[in-house]
Amino acid sequence: MKKLILPLMLLLTTASYAQLLGPNISGNVESTFQYLNEDTLIGAQQPSEKTVLNSYALVNYTYKGFKAGARFESYLPHVLGYPDRFSGTGLGYRYVGYKHDLVEFTAGNFYEQFGSGMIFRSYEQRQLGIDNAMDGLQLKLTPMPGLTIKGIYGKMRFDFNSRLQNSDGLVRGFDGEIDFSQFLGLLDSSKFKLRIGGSFISKYQSVSNAAYIMPKNVGAYGGRIYMKYDKFYLEAEHIIKENDPSQDNGYIFNKGHGTLINMGYSQKGLGIVLSAKSIDNMSFRVNPDLALTDLQINFLPALTKSHTYNLAATLYPYATQPVGEVAFQADVFYKIPKNTKIGGKYGTQINVNFATAYRPVRHTSSINPEDSTGITYKTGLFDKSDSLFYRDFNIEIKRKLNKNWKIGVKYFHFDFNNDANLVTKGASGIISSNIAVIDAQYKISRKHTIRWELQGLWTGKNNRDKGDWVTGLVEYTISPSFFFAVMDQWNYGNPNSSQRLHYLIGSAGYIMGSSRIMVVYGRQREGIFCIGGVCRPVPATNGLTITFTSTF
């Protein structure tokens, strides 16, 4: 055994040393190809090219602290639902930089986030077609352990037409954070942990408006704190945005605010998280005349659970209201111990989640909206009205029955305000729905596993929208390389009998090391696709999709 350990240690040491001193090349490739059919029943259209392609290839190079990289992109034409401005093939992301223990800088494109993102977040979410990468200079300083200072200056990515096209306006700012667990060793051996931070962001955009004198420079600033003692933690952030008239807020001159508070407790088998958020007038874009997800400087975190089951995730998804919302969430996880009468041999997991969001109160008494200030109302932190935006209650129970069987049951209740967040043209006001899911997995052998889901959604009697739905899913996996799935989403309860349609879709994939290819064929209904409270419309499609991903 010793004869094997010594050569292995030498090999690992040599490999690590070579990687440390030698150049390193890494990256990834992703391509999505679609052949689309026309389907008049679901409103799917076939583009004149019949096929579409999104493709990305990123290459990173590092050597002794030096770094450089580039990403080529193709939209020939783009996948349906992406911004129409994305077309052609070219360089969409490039950078050079240097990283040291004390200093890191990047020139060119980069992504960055200050705090929770309420004041600044530059990121890519490819599934939503979002990429607001900065193009300029990024500097990070770590002058001593526990102290981090960041600075950013540049323009945001806006368009892609065979090459990267940025915003006209500038975004610049800095962020500082002190972690007292490391800073001067002040809390090094204490159970109490403390971090504090502060941020400032300013945009410059020259905009002409016939009715208003638009500010060219708009600033936002705020602070945050994180505390932890033993099993408890508390984190809070508060951001203020100066007057920023925009299309989103109707060109008013009110200041905006964003407050986010999370607190929690955790121990083995139990976790509790309570959250609260107060947002007013916090849409923050480089260009105030834009809409949707274009040139957003900040990101407003969603206070809801990220659902993965088909009916819960796609029909009535929550979207953050940047103009204003007051939201709360409670999330409790508990595992009934194993080898107990209730918990069974392997234990039982229970997760209960409740989230709700309301319209803020806007006090207009003693306010003259026609005066020269442009201020149209007053409001305060967590000053909520009774106007409901969203309510989500869900409970999930999962249990391993034996070596072969796992089973889970879920229940969801949604109250969704379609007037505040339009996702369907078939209803208005509050849409209530109940969803039940049963999810089971059977391990046939060491490599073969089958999993199935049965889901049902039932809408209220007064506002039924498209009525009731049922979804069935069967997945078969041959580890570690193959997977197959068939899913049917059936709108069996649609009040219009001609629209009681099946959305049948099948998929198969093959995994080889760090590469994966997946083939999908079938129908996808029109709707809204959301991740983290940020959404984009998804058109109805019918056809073949081939996706290839690989990392190196």
Side-chain angles (χ1 to χ4, degrees), residues 412-489:
F412 307 82
H413 176 83
F414 296 112
D415 293 308
F416 181 87
N417 189 335
N418 194 53
D419 295 340
N421 178 31
L422 184 66
V423 299
T424 175
K425 300 174 184 175
S428 60
I430 301 295
I431 304 171
S432 297
S433 60
N434 295 285
I435 300 174
V437 178
I438 183 167
D439 178 346
Q441 177 179 302
Y442 178 69
K443 189 174 182 179
I444 301 169
S445 64
R446 189 171 62 86
K447 291 188 174 182
H448 295 254
T449 303
I450 187 169
R451 191 179 77 86
W452 56 268
E453 296 173 12
L454 183 60
Q455 309 175 28
L457 181 148
W458 301 272
T459 52
K461 295 180 180 179
N462 298 326
N463 197 2
R464 301 200 63 205
D465 185 28
K466 294 182 175 62
D468 304 332
W469 296 73
V470 62
T471 292
L473 167 71
V474 179
E475 290 180 347
Y476 190 83
T477 304
I478 306 173
S479 299
S481 298
F482 294 95
F483 58 92
F484 309 88
V486 176
M487 184 179 75
D488 186 22
Q489 189 181 50

Side-chain angles (χ1 to χ4, degrees), residues 322-337:
V323 175
E325 68 175 6
V326 178
F328 305 94
Q329 179 177 223
D331 194 54
V332 179
F333 169 84
Y334 179 65
K335 183 175 181 180
I336 302 174

Side-chain angles (χ1 to χ4, degrees), residues 289-308:
D289 294 332
L290 297 180
L292 301 176
T293 58
D294 291 341
L295 290 181
Q296 289 178 321
I297 297 173
N298 62 342
F299 167 79
L300 302 174
L303 286 195
T304 57
K305 189 174 181 178
S306 296
H307 298 300
T308 57

Side-chain angles (χ1 to χ4, degrees), residues 179-384:
D179 184 347
F180 288 94
S181 299
Q182 304 176 49
F183 185 69
L184 302 177
L186 296 177
L187 297 175
D188 191 23
S189 58
S190 173
K191 282 188 176 181
F192 178 68
K193 305 298 179 186
L194 174 65
R195 292 199 307 267
I196 59 172
S199 307
F200 174 80
I201 284 287
S202 169
K203 70 166 182 175
Y204 170 79
Q205 173 77 52
S206 180
V207 178
S208 298
N209 188 300
Y212 306 98
I213 300 175
M214 301 289 286
K216 295 181 179 178
N217 293 282
V218 176
Y221 45 87
R224 60 185 182 274
I225 187 170
Y226 172 84
M227 297 183 290
K228 182 177 186 297
Y229 182 80
D230 200 12
K231 299 173 183 175
F232 296 88
Y233 79 91
L234 168 68
E235 59 181 351
E237 183 173 16
H238 182 66
I239 302 297
I240 295 174
K241 180 172 68 81
E242 292 294 332
N243 46 44
D244 180 27
S246 67
Q247 182 181 172
D248 290 324
N249 64 18
Y251 295 97
I252 63 174
F253 282 69
N254 288 55
K255 289 185 178 180
H257 78 251
T259 303
L260 179 65
I261 301 172
N262 294 307
M263 62 180 72
Y265 172 86
S266 65
Q267 65 172 45
K268 184 179 180 181
L270 174 64
I272 301 172
V273 177
L274 304 175
S275 303
K277 182 175 70 172
S278 176
I279 297 292
D280 183 70
N281 192 24
M282 278 301 289
S283 172
F284 194 21
R285 303 177 189 273
V286 180
N287 187 329
D289 294 332
L290 297 180
L292 301 176
T293 58
D294 291 341
L295 290 181
Q296 289 178 321
I297 297 173
N298 62 342
F299 167 79
L300 302 174
L303 286 195
T304 57
K305 189 174 181 178
S306 296
H307 298 300
T308 57
Y309 288 96
N310 176 264
L311 294 177
T314 62
L315 280 169
Y316 305 112
Y318 165 81
T320 299
Q321 301 297 316
V323 175
E325 68 175 6
V326 178
F328 305 94
Q329 179 177 223
D331 194 54
V332 179
F333 169 84
Y334 179 65
K335 183 175 181 180
I336 302 174
K338 61 184 180 181
N339 296 320
T340 60
K341 189 173 183 180
I342 301 177
K345 183 178 180 180
Y346 300 94
T348 301
Q349 299 175 16
I350 301 175
N351 180 211
V352 181
N353 176 272
F354 176 76
T356 186
Y358 292 87
R359 187 188 305 275
V361 172
R362 293 185 165 180
H363 304 278
T364 57
S365 61
S366 75
I367 299 290
N368 179 9
E370 303 299 328
D371 67 18
S372 59
T373 65
I375 296 172
T376 59
Y377 64 87
K378 291 183 178 179
T379 188
L381 294 179
F382 298 101
D383 194 359
K384 78 174 188 63

Side-chain angles (χ1 to χ4, degrees), residues 90 95 420:
Y95 69 93

